[in-house]
Amino acid sequence: MISRIASFHNYQSVANDMNRQQVKVSENQEQLASGKQLLTAGDDPVASIYVQNFSQQNTEIDQSLRSITLARNRLSSEETAISDAETLLDDAKRKTMSMVNGSLSDDDRIAHMQDLRGLFDSVIHLVNTQDESGNFVFAGNQYDKQPFFRDGNGNVSYVGDSYQRMSKVSPNVEVPVNDPGDKLFMNIENPYGDYQPDYDLQSGSLLLLSHARNNNHSDNASYTIDFTQTDSGAVYDLYQDGLLVDSQPFDPKRGIEWGTLSVQLEGEVTDGDQITLSRQDTFSLFDSFKRGIEVSARAPSDASATAELHQVAEEFSQAFKHINRARSEVGTRLQTLDRQADMHEDFKLVINKARGTLEDLDYGKAVVELNENMLALQASQQAFAKTKNLSLFNYI
């Protein structure tokens, strides 16, 4: 009976060795094709855990960067709208101040009134601005609904809310991405202090309110000041909710002081002038436009109308400052987003560098290893071929 010289054990050992070399060559080729030295967790379990953690951190950073991009787009839309609002308010102030000029004719005043009405229309359109996603910029959290509506009498109502939307741009940082419209346009600090003046002045009067303050915040009474000219000078009567509470000679330097109330006036007093003060800490920009348009319809010789136009112009100026501060806040938020984005990008570079140290392939080393394994495979294949073909016939 003819039998092979090599035993089954030797045959199997050479075959297994050849298979191992084939696996090594295949792994080398996969590494070179992918550029990665870690193909499975079994290649290096500890390094694989670190690589997985790095991948998760990269995913979180990418999510934060997408949030930053979305927040930047929303804030940019708001900044543009606020900038346009500043331009409109500056134009409205200039237009109102030009109407204070007593030399204007009735037709000139009406022409300016029409311009002011056009600016009011532009403001109404502006406060209902939408961003690139169709969301209303100044609606608070009710961004899918139009926030401002104007009725036929010129009264403007706000149907949004007073909340800000927040964007989480890092695990510990949230940035507001909007400002509610009521805060920006309807809750502006009163430039006169704590009261809103209502003028009833005599012809030729130049009397204007400078400021009126009351340290008693629970005092919601209205005050009326009547002026009378006497031989010794001007005298004022102060009424609280219609009741006379004080009567003194009027000293322009000292103003009017009664209890916690302090009133400063400027200009010249005419006999019969009257100013009524109503408690009002804030004012609405839309009310200023409405009142400015209404007062513009009165004659340029009307001293009360002129005083109210001064008041409207002062409110426009105050609204401009208020909007400008809001724009500065938006700019600060945009800077915060830029800083966070830079921090994320820097951290991402560090993570990718550390990940590359563990995961990326050293091509020079991999090529040498591939050549060595291919030589070993060839040797195994040759040994297997010789072992497989050996028999007694070779030695007869």
Side-chain angles (χ1 to χ4, degrees), residues 278-335:
S278 301
R279 191 72 187 240
Q280 186 172 328
D281 299 328
T282 61
F283 70 93
S284 168
L285 171 63
F286 310 113
D287 291 341
S288 299
F289 269 104
K290 178 187 175 185
R291 189 169 62 256
I293 293 170
E294 292 173 346
V295 173
S296 301
R298 292 154 64 177
S301 59
D302 188 330
S304 297
T306 300
E308 290 191 35
L309 284 173
H310 271 287
Q311 175 187 344
V312 170
E314 190 65 27
E315 289 176 353
F316 284 147
S317 178
Q318 182 71 8
F320 180 91
K321 297 174 184 177
H322 178 78
I323 295 295
N324 183 259
R325 286 193 294 269
R327 184 182 180 187
S328 297
E329 292 177 8
V330 171
T332 300
R333 295 174 203 163
L334 287 169
Q335 289 179 349

Side-chain angles (χ1 to χ4, degrees), residues 2 5 117 147 168 174 239 268 278 340 381:
I2 300 175
I5 295 175
R117 181 176 284 115
K168 193 169 186 178
E174 288 186 335
Y239 296 85
E268 299 179 4
S278 301
Q340 288 296 322
Q381 289 172 337

Side-chain angles (χ1 to χ4, degrees), residues 200-314:
D200 185 5
L201 306 180
Q202 302 301 308
S203 178
S205 176
L206 300 176
L207 186 63
L208 295 172
L209 177 68
S210 179
H211 75 262
R213 303 187 186 278
N214 194 332
N215 295 329
N216 182 6
H217 299 293
S218 61
D219 182 4
N220 293 317
S222 65
Y223 291 88
T224 300
I225 307 170
D226 287 339
F227 291 94
T228 305
Q229 284 287 359
T230 66
D231 293 339
S232 58
V235 175
Y236 72 85
D237 293 328
L238 178 66
Y239 296 85
Q240 183 187 47
D241 286 339
L243 298 177
L244 181 64
V245 294
D246 192 25
S247 182
Q248 300 284 343
F250 175 63
D251 182 357
K253 294 183 179 179
R254 182 174 180 270
I256 297 173
E257 295 182 358
W258 181 79
T260 57
L261 177 68
S262 175
V263 180
Q264 287 291 332
L265 300 162
E266 58 184 79
E268 299 179 4
V269 176
T270 301
D271 185 51
D273 283 346
Q274 182 183 86
I275 298 178
T276 299
L277 304 176
S278 301
R279 191 72 187 240
Q280 186 172 328
D281 299 328
T282 61
F283 70 93
S284 168
L285 171 63
F286 310 113
D287 291 341
S288 299
F289 269 104
K290 178 187 175 185
R291 189 169 62 256
I293 293 170
E294 292 173 346
V295 173
S296 301
R298 292 154 64 177
S301 59
D302 188 330
S304 297
T306 300
E308 290 191 35
L309 284 173
H310 271 287
Q311 175 187 344
V312 170
E314 190 65 27

Side-chain angles (χ1 to χ4, degrees), residues 78-256:
E78 180 179 354
E79 184 181 35
T80 300
I82 289 178
S83 177
D84 292 340
E86 287 179 337
T87 301
L88 292 174
L89 286 172
D90 187 58
D91 290 344
K93 176 189 173 182
R94 295 175 184 275
K95 188 64 61 177
T96 305
M97 287 302 299
S98 67
M99 287 189 286
V100 172
N101 188 347
S103 63
L104 288 179
S105 66
D106 292 345
D107 291 339
D108 291 334
R109 179 75 71 88
I110 291 174
H112 286 314
M113 178 186 67
Q114 295 297 336
D115 291 340
L116 191 61
R117 181 176 284 115
L119 291 172
F120 191 16
D121 293 338
S122 298
V123 168
I124 292 297
H125 176 74
L126 180 67
V127 296
N128 286 317
T129 294
Q130 295 173 276
D131 62 19
E132 74 283 354
S133 300
N135 299 321
F136 289 95
V137 174
F138 300 113
N141 279 334
Q142 306 294 324
Y143 51 85
D144 57 338
K145 301 177 182 177
Q146 180 177 322
F148 292 97
F149 291 89
R150 181 175 56 176
D151 63 21
N153 296 321
N155 298 309
V156 177
S157 59
Y158 178 69
V159 298
D161 59 36
S162 300
Y163 296 101
Q164 287 181 310
R165 285 177 284 165
M166 307 297 292
S167 178
K168 193 169 186 178
V169 297
S170 78
N172 300 315
V173 178
E174 288 186 335
V175 176
V177 295
N178 74 317
D179 290 284
D182 57 347
K183 172 188 173 183
L184 283 178
F185 306 111
M186 304 182 79
N187 294 319
I188 305 171
E189 184 179 358
N190 185 354
Y192 293 105
D194 302 320
Y195 291 89
Q196 190 81 359
D198 183 20
Y199 295 97
D200 185 5
L201 306 180
Q202 302 301 308
S203 178
S205 176
L206 300 176
L207 186 63
L208 295 172
L209 177 68
S210 179
H211 75 262
R213 303 187 186 278
N214 194 332
N215 295 329
N216 182 6
H217 299 293
S218 61
D219 182 4
N220 293 317
S222 65
Y223 291 88
T224 300
I225 307 170
D226 287 339
F227 291 94
T228 305
Q229 284 287 359
T230 66
D231 293 339
S232 58
V235 175
Y236 72 85
D237 293 328
L238 178 66
Y239 296 85
Q240 183 187 47
D241 286 339
L243 298 177
L244 181 64
V245 294
D246 192 25
S247 182
Q248 300 284 343
F250 175 63
D251 182 357
K253 294 183 179 179
R254 182 174 180 270
I256 297 173

Side-chain angles (χ1 to χ4, degrees), residues 322-355:
H322 178 78
I323 295 295
N324 183 259
R325 286 193 294 269
R327 184 182 180 187
S328 297
E329 292 177 8
V330 171
T332 300
R333 295 174 203 163
L334 287 169
Q335 289 179 349
T336 300
L337 294 179
D338 291 339
R339 286 194 297 268
Q340 288 296 322
D342 290 341
M343 291 172 62
H344 287 321
E345 294 290 356
D346 292 343
F347 188 44
K348 191 171 184 178
L349 288 175
V350 172
I351 289 176
N352 289 335
K353 183 177 181 180
R355 177 178 176 176

